[in-house]
Amino acid sequence: MTGLTTHVLDTASGKPAEGLVITLFRIDGAKREEIRTVTTNSDGRIDGGPILAGETFVVGTYELVFHAGDYLRGRGVTLADPAFLDIIPIRFGIADVTAHYHVPLLLSPYGYSTYRGS
């Protein structure tokens, strides 16, 4: 499998983060081009396969923007104003279009982590 996938887990609840909006951008110098906006399903994943695949899966710099504040507020979490974590951008590079890039997010109201998964 090649392409870009993600998975979001809400570590505060111990469950997948259902309903979290994610926007994918391609970065080219100072230019930031929106590629796609998706919403996580009941498993914290994206329906319909990879977020980026096929002819659009090219070498370059990308950014996944996780709309964490909206997700947390929607789950009834009371956040400060402004929220400590609201928008979480993760910028990364794709160097090998024959590989699978998985960028998961582990999320709570006051912290997050990510890594290149498999």
Side-chain angles (χ1 to χ4, degrees):
M1 172 191 206
T2 63
L4 171 65
T5 57
T6 190
H7 184 204
V8 185
L9 297 174
D10 181 335
T11 58
S13 70
K15 298 179 181 177
E18 180 180 6
L20 191 143
V21 174
I22 305 166
T23 306
L24 172 65
F25 293 90
R26 182 174 289 118
I27 309 299
D28 184 10
K31 183 180 174 190
R32 188 173 179 242
E33 174 191 2
E34 183 175 333
I35 304 293
R36 187 172 177 203
T37 297
V38 295
T39 303
T40 56
N41 63 20
S42 62
D43 193 35
R45 299 178 189 276
I46 307 307
D47 289 328
I51 298 172
L52 192 64
E55 63 187 39
T56 61
F57 187 63
V58 298
V59 170
T61 301
Y62 294 85
E63 186 175 81
L64 284 169
V65 175
F66 297 85
H67 298 262
D70 290 342
Y71 162 78
L72 293 165
R73 286 183 201 92
R75 297 294 172 259
V77 176
T78 301
L79 301 176
D81 186 20
F84 181 70
L85 293 176
D86 190 12
I87 303 295
I88 300 173
I90 299 176
R91 192 169 284 193
F92 58 95
I94 292 176
D96 179 2
V97 296
T98 66
H100 177 215
Y101 286 76
H102 183 67
V103 182
L105 182 74
L106 304 176
L107 170 67
S108 78
Y110 295 98
Y112 69 92
S113 65
T114 191
Y115 53 93
R116 180 172 176 194
S118 59

